[in-house]
Amino acid sequence: MFLNSNLLKTLSCFGLILFSLNVAAQQTDTLKTHTLTQVSGQVVDALTGKPLPYISVTFGGSSYGAYTDKLGKFTLKAPGLFSQITFSYVGYQSITKTVKSGEINELAIRLRSSQTQLKEVSVTTGKKQRYRNKGNPAVSLIQQIINHKDENRMESSDYLQYDQYERIGLSFFHLSQKFINGRFFSKYKFLLDTTQKINGQTQTALPVYFSEKLSQNYYRKNPEKSIQVLNAQKQINIIKFVDTAGLDIYLNRLYGNNLDLYSNNIFIITNQFLSPIANHAPDFYKFFITDTIKTAKGKLVEVSFTPRNKGDLLFEGKLLVTLDGHYAVAGCELNVNKQININFMRSLKIRLDFVQDAGGRYYLSKSDVTADFGISRTKGLGVIGERTVVYTNYKLNAPQPEAFYQGKDLQIAENANREDTSYWAGHRTDTLSGQQAQIYGKISKLEKMPSFKRTMWIASTLTGGFADFGAVQIGPINSFFAFSSQEGLRFQGGGRTTPKFNKSIYLEGYGGIGTKDKQLKYDLITYLSLNKTAPYRFPNDYFKASYLYDVDVPGHSFSINNRQAALSSFQTGATNYWLYSTIFRLDYVKDFENHFSYDVIFKNWNQQPAAKLVYGLNDANNTIVHNLTTSELGVRLRYAPHEQILQGTQDRHTIYSKYPIMELMVNHGFKGFINGSYAYTNFGVNIFKRFYFSQLGYSDVTLMGGYLTGKVPFPLLNISSANQSLAYDLNAYNRMTYLEFVSDHYVGLNFTQSFNGFFLNKIPLIEHLKWREYLTFKILYGGLRNENNPLYSNNLYKFPTGTNGGNGTYALGNVPYTEAGVGVGNIFKILRIDVIKRFSYLDHPGIAPYAVKFSFNPDF
């Protein structure tokens, strides 16, 4: 899956920056302290003297607040004259202190525990007690929470409205002293944060990304509708070679875009974790009552929980639950154990704070998520991300006008990009640390440094594939060399223009030549952008004219889901069928913000068979056809509701979610127009959907179908997508040979089940390997009408036969083509091995029923 491989790629890119950064002198944001009230200090337990983390610190009568860190330390500053500050946390007596308004204050706070009603009693016997759900009061309490979930969820209201402040930061840590003190980094130490707390220890960190957002959220229950209005945002990004907008989307998804404890599943770290209060949570978790606490608003019970199986995607932590008959969650801490089957993650800590409203309901007031990653579990360079969200101004059952709910799910206010420091100082509802407040000024200075610009140029060239020279980019560099049986060693060079050349006109192209066929290949493209956006950026709105001459295998014209690895250097069996194509195309491409898009395409295509591919008529003279020309007009429609994308330098990559992706293609060929030889109409449809099954992983399902009208030779039929490379192809038939099957009507189903290690995690001696299991099944059913079959109809091309080293071409018959496989992934964290078995058409020449395929898929 791309999203996860992209993260590992990003991590490796991060390492590149650390060893190549050249930056300059320190600069800090300045705040007008004479308008601020600031309080700093430490909070400790009054009895033990131990620091107390996560204590809520708020100015009286305001929405400004902060939390103590792992050492109990805090800093709260806000514009205004505040005279009182309150410290509170469930299980401790709240305390309010008087401070000097408009000045800097230092406090040492000692909090006392609330009265404890019941402590956990441990009974030790000679035999280990077996955990049981039956008769366990903790499980009975969890069941009460489950039974009352609907009444306690804020979304159970008909209408809901609240304000949201969101902050995300990303930093490197575990930087080697040799690197920090070396000559290469000596000028840039001002960037370092020496105060960051990571897993309870003070670490030296290098911030690379920081983002803040202010938004208003609206929810309507029936019909269900969610709208977010983004009022303000501010971002800085050192790693310029990574798309900032895409990185923000990915980090939000990675660190929990919507942490709803009351849902059965919580989506975080690109996986579904089962909530400890999911409907079937007692089947997967062990629960224990560890404390009963008396507070001013009533009793709370502390329930601790841990996974039954340490390798499953489950949390461990504790809940604080009310005993007022509503059984609401008043506080929550979620962590993971070190045996969990997630790669690269060293720790994950989630804290959810709830506040009781006037009606007695508890609503989420703040969520804090911290997770750090590294190639090694315990040492070496690491990446840590922190996402904090503060929720304020809840309003229940206060509907907006009906027309408001007809708007877009995400709405961005005018002038939402707010760079001024004073605006954020007056509007953010959480306090930045001293280092966070300085980061904007530091990065602003950094971005002006010539050495930094050189570093980003190198990094973006290596990761994005294009060397940027301002108005022109050279690349893609990964296409400079290739190899195939038809061309031999291929050398290629190309480039494209950028908005610095012209914001409306973009030029692109390449030229290449093979050492074996010695033919010059090229592609010349011109774009006219109507929205002044580069064609490789979203959204598209452009006209495109292109002229191409190149070589490939048959089967790339009509199959929507065709992504063959035909030019891979490593193949199984002979690849003897090749085409030299000359294609002139005119396109109009339009994207809409709701991720509906359409392409209108005119294509004139001349194809010349090569190698052992021969176009021979089935007439009395066995006439050889050296050129086949078609002229066609096509329309492609695509709809991906709620799609989120990562923007690459060449392609956009969908972040897979529960929503489907639907495509429809219609092509019509015109006989006699610009040498078009045939008239036909080809319809194709493709629907992809990912289904999540909590602890059982997820299923990827693709439905496809096609129908062609008219009489055409086999190169214009639907050529089934095959894969003869050693690499596993999710979208192709991995035991089918190139050009093996053609049809004029077909339906197909591709199914992949990823269990995320659910079964292997429970096998002794294997569970520690953290392997993951896959099942795949593909079926293709179709046929070929007699009018398009050269065995029954004249003036058609004869199918290639399975002789002289070729595998032959066949009509897809009444028996469906089927293949299935089992795979084991996450081997050494990157390798997946699949064993594929083919079940039908085993009598075709050169067919072996089994094959082993490999893929490299770094995954969380």
Side-chain angles (χ1 to χ4, degrees), residues 527-559:
Y527 298 91
L528 174 61
S529 175
L530 303 183
N531 61 351
K532 298 185 183 300
T533 299
Y536 44 87
R537 304 293 299 184
F538 179 87
N540 291 150
D541 187 7
Y542 62 74
F543 287 96
K544 170 187 172 183
S546 64
Y547 192 80
L548 173 144
Y549 177 72
D550 212 332
V551 63
D552 211 336
V553 296
H556 280 239
S557 61
F558 300 116
S559 181

mmCIF file of all heavy atoms in Angstrom, residues 527-559:
data_model
loop_
_atom_site.group_PDB
_atom_site.id
_atom_site.type_symbol
_atom_site.label_atom_id
_atom_site.label_comp_id
_atom_site.label_asym_id
_atom_site.label_seq_id
_atom_site.Cartn_x
_atom_site.Cartn_y
_atom_site.Cartn_z
ATOM 1 N N TYR A 527 0.766 21.363 -22.697
ATOM 2 C CA TYR A 527 -0.431 21.561 -21.882
ATOM 3 C C TYR A 527 -0.823 23.027 -21.914
ATOM 4 O O TYR A 527 0.031 23.922 -21.857
ATOM 5 C CB TYR A 527 -0.182 21.188 -20.417
ATOM 6 C CG TYR A 527 0.194 19.752 -20.162
ATOM 7 C CD1 TYR A 527 1.533 19.362 -20.157
ATOM 8 C CD2 TYR A 527 -0.774 18.792 -19.874
ATOM 9 C CE1 TYR A 527 1.893 18.057 -19.895
ATOM 10 C CE2 TYR A 527 -0.419 17.482 -19.606
ATOM 11 C CZ TYR A 527 0.913 17.124 -19.624
ATOM 12 O OH TYR A 527 1.268 15.829 -19.350
ATOM 13 N N LEU A 528 -2.115 23.279 -21.961
ATOM 14 C CA LEU A 528 -2.672 24.615 -21.773
ATOM 15 C C LEU A 528 -3.540 24.563 -20.516
ATOM 16 O O LEU A 528 -4.637 24.017 -20.530
ATOM 17 C CB LEU A 528 -3.491 25.051 -22.987
ATOM 18 C CG LEU A 528 -4.230 26.389 -22.836
ATOM 19 C CD1 LEU A 528 -3.238 27.532 -22.589
ATOM 20 C CD2 LEU A 528 -5.099 26.675 -24.052
ATOM 21 N N SER A 529 -3.035 25.116 -19.411
ATOM 22 C CA SER A 529 -3.746 25.066 -18.135
ATOM 23 C C SER A 529 -4.721 26.226 -18.026
ATOM 24 O O SER A 529 -4.317 27.395 -18.114
ATOM 25 C CB SER A 529 -2.745 25.099 -16.972
ATOM 26 O OG SER A 529 -3.424 25.161 -15.738
ATOM 27 N N LEU A 530 -5.981 25.928 -17.818
ATOM 28 C CA LEU A 530 -7.004 26.967 -17.705
ATOM 29 C C LEU A 530 -7.071 27.556 -16.308
ATOM 30 O O LEU A 530 -7.596 28.660 -16.128
ATOM 31 C CB LEU A 530 -8.371 26.401 -18.108
ATOM 32 C CG LEU A 530 -8.447 25.788 -19.514
ATOM 33 C CD1 LEU A 530 -9.861 25.335 -19.810
ATOM 34 C CD2 LEU A 530 -7.976 26.795 -20.565
ATOM 35 N N ASN A 531 -6.565 26.830 -15.308
ATOM 36 C CA ASN A 531 -6.590 27.339 -13.934
ATOM 37 C C ASN A 531 -5.195 27.720 -13.437
ATOM 38 O O ASN A 531 -4.981 27.877 -12.242
ATOM 39 C CB ASN A 531 -7.227 26.318 -12.990
ATOM 40 C CG ASN A 531 -6.462 25.001 -12.938
ATOM 41 O OD1 ASN A 531 -5.543 24.777 -13.736
ATOM 42 N ND2 ASN A 531 -6.836 24.141 -12.022
ATOM 43 N N LYS A 532 -4.249 27.834 -14.378
ATOM 44 C CA LYS A 532 -2.867 28.234 -14.065
ATOM 45 C C LYS A 532 -2.228 27.316 -13.016
ATOM 46 O O LYS A 532 -1.454 27.754 -12.161
ATOM 47 C CB LYS A 532 -2.830 29.696 -13.600
ATOM 48 C CG LYS A 532 -3.306 30.684 -14.661
ATOM 49 C CD LYS A 532 -3.129 32.110 -14.204
ATOM 50 C CE LYS A 532 -3.680 33.106 -15.223
ATOM 51 N NZ LYS A 532 -3.017 33.007 -16.531
ATOM 52 N N THR A 533 -2.561 26.045 -13.104
ATOM 53 C CA THR A 533 -2.001 25.030 -12.217
ATOM 54 C C THR A 533 -1.244 24.013 -13.049
ATOM 55 O O THR A 533 -1.727 23.582 -14.106
ATOM 56 C CB THR A 533 -3.115 24.318 -11.421
ATOM 57 O OG1 THR A 533 -3.800 25.282 -10.619
ATOM 58 C CG2 THR A 533 -2.550 23.231 -10.520
ATOM 59 N N ALA A 534 -0.056 23.638 -12.582
ATOM 60 C CA ALA A 534 0.737 22.652 -13.313
ATOM 61 C C ALA A 534 -0.045 21.353 -13.469
ATOM 62 O O ALA A 534 -0.792 20.957 -12.570
ATOM 63 C CB ALA A 534 2.051 22.394 -12.582
ATOM 64 N N PRO A 535 0.093 20.663 -14.596
ATOM 65 C CA PRO A 535 -0.712 19.459 -14.851
ATOM 66 C C PRO A 535 -0.434 18.323 -13.880
ATOM 67 O O PRO A 535 -1.239 17.396 -13.772
ATOM 68 C CB PRO A 535 -0.337 19.077 -16.288
ATOM 69 C CG PRO A 535 0.966 19.766 -16.545
ATOM 70 C CD PRO A 535 0.933 21.016 -15.752
ATOM 71 N N TYR A 536 0.712 18.386 -13.174
ATOM 72 C CA TYR A 536 1.006 17.335 -12.204
ATOM 73 C C TYR A 536 0.534 17.720 -10.801
ATOM 74 O O TYR A 536 0.888 17.057 -9.835
ATOM 75 C CB TYR A 536 2.506 17.022 -12.201
ATOM 76 C CG TYR A 536 3.416 18.220 -12.221
ATOM 77 C CD1 TYR A 536 3.805 18.856 -11.045
ATOM 78 C CD2 TYR A 536 3.887 18.715 -13.439
ATOM 79 C CE1 TYR A 536 4.627 19.971 -11.084
ATOM 80 C CE2 TYR A 536 4.718 19.821 -13.476
ATOM 81 C CZ TYR A 536 5.091 20.449 -12.303
ATOM 82 O OH TYR A 536 5.905 21.542 -12.335
ATOM 83 N N ARG A 537 -0.268 18.807 -10.681
ATOM 84 C CA ARG A 537 -0.834 19.215 -9.402
ATOM 85 C C ARG A 537 -2.352 19.099 -9.445
ATOM 86 O O ARG A 537 -2.969 19.086 -10.521
ATOM 87 C CB ARG A 537 -0.459 20.663 -9.075
ATOM 88 C CG ARG A 537 1.014 20.971 -9.070
ATOM 89 C CD ARG A 537 1.768 20.285 -7.961
ATOM 90 N NE ARG A 537 1.295 20.696 -6.645
ATOM 91 C CZ ARG A 537 1.834 20.293 -5.502
ATOM 92 N NH1 ARG A 537 2.858 19.457 -5.528
ATOM 93 N NH2 ARG A 537 1.374 20.693 -4.346
ATOM 94 N N PHE A 538 -2.955 18.983 -8.257
ATOM 95 C CA PHE A 538 -4.415 18.939 -8.152
ATOM 96 C C PHE A 538 -4.919 20.331 -7.788
ATOM 97 O O PHE A 538 -4.299 21.003 -6.964
ATOM 98 C CB PHE A 538 -4.811 17.928 -7.068
ATOM 99 C CG PHE A 538 -6.298 17.825 -6.851
ATOM 100 C CD1 PHE A 538 -7.055 16.962 -7.630
ATOM 101 C CD2 PHE A 538 -6.940 18.589 -5.884
ATOM 102 C CE1 PHE A 538 -8.426 16.862 -7.442
ATOM 103 C CE2 PHE A 538 -8.294 18.494 -5.686
ATOM 104 C CZ PHE A 538 -9.043 17.629 -6.463
ATOM 105 N N PRO A 539 -6.043 20.786 -8.377
ATOM 106 C CA PRO A 539 -6.879 20.102 -9.362
ATOM 107 C C PRO A 539 -6.446 20.410 -10.795
ATOM 108 O O PRO A 539 -5.861 21.453 -11.061
ATOM 109 C CB PRO A 539 -8.259 20.679 -9.069
ATOM 110 C CG PRO A 539 -7.973 22.072 -8.596
ATOM 111 C CD PRO A 539 -6.681 21.997 -7.831
ATOM 112 N N ASN A 540 -6.755 19.504 -11.719
ATOM 113 C CA ASN A 540 -6.430 19.681 -13.128
ATOM 114 C C ASN A 540 -7.563 20.399 -13.854
ATOM 115 O O ASN A 540 -8.737 20.180 -13.581
ATOM 116 C CB ASN A 540 -6.201 18.331 -13.804
ATOM 117 C CG ASN A 540 -4.928 17.641 -13.334
ATOM 118 O OD1 ASN A 540 -4.846 16.433 -13.313
ATOM 119 N ND2 ASN A 540 -3.927 18.419 -12.949
ATOM 120 N N ASP A 541 -7.183 21.233 -14.770
ATOM 121 C CA ASP A 541 -8.130 21.857 -15.702
ATOM 122 C C ASP A 541 -7.307 22.314 -16.905
ATOM 123 O O ASP A 541 -6.852 23.447 -16.970
ATOM 124 C CB ASP A 541 -8.852 23.031 -15.035
ATOM 125 C CG ASP A 541 -9.957 23.593 -15.926
ATOM 126 O OD1 ASP A 541 -10.235 22.986 -16.978
ATOM 127 O OD2 ASP A 541 -10.538 24.643 -15.567
ATOM 128 N N TYR A 542 -7.089 21.384 -17.848
ATOM 129 C CA TYR A 542 -6.167 21.706 -18.939
ATOM 130 C C TYR A 542 -6.544 20.984 -20.225
ATOM 131 O O TYR A 542 -7.266 19.983 -20.227
ATOM 132 C CB TYR A 542 -4.730 21.349 -18.556
ATOM 133 C CG TYR A 542 -4.467 19.878 -18.274
ATOM 134 C CD1 TYR A 542 -4.399 18.940 -19.307
ATOM 135 C CD2 TYR A 542 -4.253 19.430 -16.973
ATOM 136 C CE1 TYR A 542 -4.147 17.608 -19.062
ATOM 137 C CE2 TYR A 542 -4.003 18.094 -16.709
ATOM 138 C CZ TYR A 542 -3.946 17.184 -17.754
ATOM 139 O OH TYR A 542 -3.698 15.848 -17.496
ATOM 140 N N PHE A 543 -6.018 21.554 -21.330
ATOM 141 C CA PHE A 543 -5.985 20.867 -22.614
ATOM 142 C C PHE A 543 -4.577 20.312 -22.808
ATOM 143 O O PHE A 543 -3.588 20.909 -22.367
ATOM 144 C CB PHE A 543 -6.319 21.830 -23.752
ATOM 145 C CG PHE A 543 -7.761 22.220 -23.819
ATOM 146 C CD1 PHE A 543 -8.206 23.396 -23.244
ATOM 147 C CD2 PHE A 543 -8.682 21.399 -24.461
ATOM 148 C CE1 PHE A 543 -9.533 23.772 -23.305
ATOM 149 C CE2 PHE A 543 -10.023 21.752 -24.533
ATOM 150 C CZ PHE A 543 -10.449 22.950 -23.951
ATOM 151 N N LYS A 544 -4.488 19.192 -23.505
ATOM 152 C CA LYS A 544 -3.204 18.537 -23.701
ATOM 153 C C LYS A 544 -3.119 18.025 -25.140
ATOM 154 O O LYS A 544 -4.057 17.399 -25.643
ATOM 155 C CB LYS A 544 -3.046 17.375 -22.718
ATOM 156 C CG LYS A 544 -1.849 16.471 -22.981
ATOM 157 C CD LYS A 544 -1.886 15.259 -22.044
ATOM 158 C CE LYS A 544 -0.832 14.235 -22.389
ATOM 159 N NZ LYS A 544 -0.923 13.029 -21.522
ATOM 160 N N ALA A 545 -1.984 18.292 -25.771
ATOM 161 C CA ALA A 545 -1.692 17.728 -27.097
ATOM 162 C C ALA A 545 -0.370 16.991 -27.004
ATOM 163 O O ALA A 545 0.608 17.513 -26.462
ATOM 164 C CB ALA A 545 -1.621 18.831 -28.150
ATOM 165 N N SER A 546 -0.338 15.747 -27.513
ATOM 166 C CA SER A 546 0.886 14.949 -27.401
ATOM 167 C C SER A 546 1.101 14.118 -28.654
ATOM 168 O O SER A 546 0.150 13.751 -29.359
ATOM 169 C CB SER A 546 0.813 14.028 -26.173
ATOM 170 O OG SER A 546 -0.225 13.077 -26.314
ATOM 171 N N TYR A 547 2.380 13.837 -28.903
ATOM 172 C CA TYR A 547 2.763 12.983 -30.034
ATOM 173 C C TYR A 547 3.850 12.043 -29.537
ATOM 174 O O TYR A 547 4.909 12.481 -29.085
ATOM 175 C CB TYR A 547 3.276 13.818 -31.206
ATOM 176 C CG TYR A 547 3.421 13.030 -32.479
ATOM 177 C CD1 TYR A 547 2.320 12.754 -33.272
ATOM 178 C CD2 TYR A 547 4.666 12.557 -32.886
ATOM 179 C CE1 TYR A 547 2.445 12.028 -34.451
ATOM 180 C CE2 TYR A 547 4.805 11.828 -34.063
ATOM 181 C CZ TYR A 547 3.689 11.566 -34.835
ATOM 182 O OH TYR A 547 3.803 10.843 -35.989
ATOM 183 N N LEU A 548 3.586 10.719 -29.617
ATOM 184 C CA LEU A 548 4.463 9.712 -29.019
ATOM 185 C C LEU A 548 4.831 8.643 -30.034
ATOM 186 O O LEU A 548 3.995 8.220 -30.843
ATOM 187 C CB LEU A 548 3.768 9.077 -27.804
ATOM 188 C CG LEU A 548 4.441 7.883 -27.128
ATOM 189 C CD1 LEU A 548 4.220 7.937 -25.612
ATOM 190 C CD2 LEU A 548 3.893 6.548 -27.659
ATOM 191 N N TYR A 549 6.086 8.209 -29.933
ATOM 192 C CA TYR A 549 6.535 7.000 -30.635
ATOM 193 C C TYR A 549 7.358 6.194 -29.638
ATOM 194 O O TYR A 549 8.393 6.652 -29.151
ATOM 195 C CB TYR A 549 7.382 7.334 -31.862
ATOM 196 C CG TYR A 549 7.931 6.109 -32.562
ATOM 197 C CD1 TYR A 549 7.084 5.273 -33.285
ATOM 198 C CD2 TYR A 549 9.274 5.775 -32.472
ATOM 199 C CE1 TYR A 549 7.584 4.127 -33.911
ATOM 200 C CE2 TYR A 549 9.775 4.642 -33.098
ATOM 201 C CZ TYR A 549 8.921 3.813 -33.810
ATOM 202 O OH TYR A 549 9.412 2.694 -34.419
ATOM 203 N N ASP A 550 6.882 4.976 -29.319
ATOM 204 C CA ASP A 550 7.571 4.180 -28.305
ATOM 205 C C ASP A 550 7.165 2.722 -28.455
ATOM 206 O O ASP A 550 6.312 2.367 -29.268
ATOM 207 C CB ASP A 550 7.247 4.680 -26.898
ATOM 208 C CG ASP A 550 8.413 4.482 -25.937
ATOM 209 O OD1 ASP A 550 9.207 3.550 -26.155
ATOM 210 O OD2 ASP A 550 8.528 5.251 -24.963
ATOM 211 N N VAL A 551 7.784 1.871 -27.630
ATOM 212 C CA VAL A 551 7.586 0.431 -27.692
ATOM 213 C C VAL A 551 6.962 -0.051 -26.393
ATOM 214 O O VAL A 551 7.222 0.504 -25.317
ATOM 215 C CB VAL A 551 8.931 -0.292 -27.942
ATOM 216 C CG1 VAL A 551 9.897 -0.066 -26.793
ATOM 217 C CG2 VAL A 551 8.722 -1.783 -28.189
ATOM 218 N N ASP A 552 6.118 -1.067 -26.486
ATOM 219 C CA ASP A 552 5.488 -1.649 -25.301
ATOM 220 C C ASP A 552 4.873 -2.984 -25.709
ATOM 221 O O ASP A 552 4.897 -3.360 -26.880
ATOM 222 C CB ASP A 552 4.411 -0.712 -24.762
ATOM 223 C CG ASP A 552 4.256 -0.823 -23.257
ATOM 224 O OD1 ASP A 552 4.616 -1.879 -22.706
ATOM 225 O OD2 ASP A 552 3.788 0.145 -22.642
ATOM 226 N N VAL A 553 4.319 -3.701 -24.721
ATOM 227 C CA VAL A 553 3.619 -4.941 -25.035
ATOM 228 C C VAL A 553 2.155 -4.627 -25.305
ATOM 229 O O VAL A 553 1.638 -3.607 -24.841
ATOM 230 C CB VAL A 553 3.736 -5.971 -23.893
ATOM 231 C CG1 VAL A 553 5.167 -6.378 -23.698
ATOM 232 C CG2 VAL A 553 3.127 -5.441 -22.618
ATOM 233 N N PRO A 554 1.439 -5.456 -26.036
ATOM 234 C CA PRO A 554 0.014 -5.216 -26.285
ATOM 235 C C PRO A 554 -0.782 -5.267 -24.974
ATOM 236 O O PRO A 554 -0.431 -5.953 -24.035
ATOM 237 C CB PRO A 554 -0.377 -6.370 -27.220
ATOM 238 C CG PRO A 554 0.896 -6.859 -27.798
ATOM 239 C CD PRO A 554 1.933 -6.650 -26.744
ATOM 240 N N GLY A 555 -1.873 -4.500 -24.980
ATOM 241 C CA GLY A 555 -2.780 -4.576 -23.846
ATOM 242 C C GLY A 555 -2.898 -3.322 -23.030
ATOM 243 O O GLY A 555 -3.381 -3.359 -21.909
ATOM 244 N N HIS A 556 -2.473 -2.186 -23.573
ATOM 245 C CA HIS A 556 -2.507 -0.959 -22.786
ATOM 246 C C HIS A 556 -3.572 0.026 -23.241
ATOM 247 O O HIS A 556 -3.608 1.133 -22.740
ATOM 248 C CB HIS A 556 -1.144 -0.263 -22.845
ATOM 249 C CG HIS A 556 -0.138 -0.853 -21.912
ATOM 250 N ND1 HIS A 556 0.475 -0.123 -20.925
ATOM 251 C CD2 HIS A 556 0.347 -2.112 -21.795
ATOM 252 C CE1 HIS A 556 1.305 -0.898 -20.247
ATOM 253 N NE2 HIS A 556 1.261 -2.105 -20.769
ATOM 254 N N SER A 557 -4.441 -0.331 -24.140
ATOM 255 C CA SER A 557 -5.310 0.693 -24.704
ATOM 256 C C SER A 557 -6.665 0.803 -24.035
ATOM 257 O O SER A 557 -7.174 1.891 -23.853
ATOM 258 C CB SER A 557 -5.512 0.446 -26.202
ATOM 259 O OG SER A 557 -6.114 -0.811 -26.405
ATOM 260 N N PHE A 558 -7.272 -0.319 -23.642
ATOM 261 C CA PHE A 558 -8.654 -0.232 -23.191
ATOM 262 C C PHE A 558 -8.862 -0.662 -21.737
ATOM 263 O O PHE A 558 -9.838 -0.271 -21.118
ATOM 264 C CB PHE A 558 -9.570 -1.108 -24.063
ATOM 265 C CG PHE A 558 -9.541 -0.709 -25.496
ATOM 266 C CD1 PHE A 558 -9.062 -1.576 -26.456
ATOM 267 C CD2 PHE A 558 -9.978 0.537 -25.877
ATOM 268 C CE1 PHE A 558 -9.029 -1.210 -27.781
ATOM 269 C CE2 PHE A 558 -9.951 0.912 -27.197
ATOM 270 C CZ PHE A 558 -9.471 0.039 -28.161
ATOM 271 N N SER A 559 -8.025 -1.515 -21.225
ATOM 272 C CA SER A 559 -8.249 -2.048 -19.890
ATOM 273 C C SER A 559 -7.962 -0.968 -18.859
ATOM 274 O O SER A 559 -6.836 -0.533 -18.686
ATOM 275 C CB SER A 559 -7.355 -3.271 -19.627
ATOM 276 O OG SER A 559 -7.604 -3.778 -18.348
#
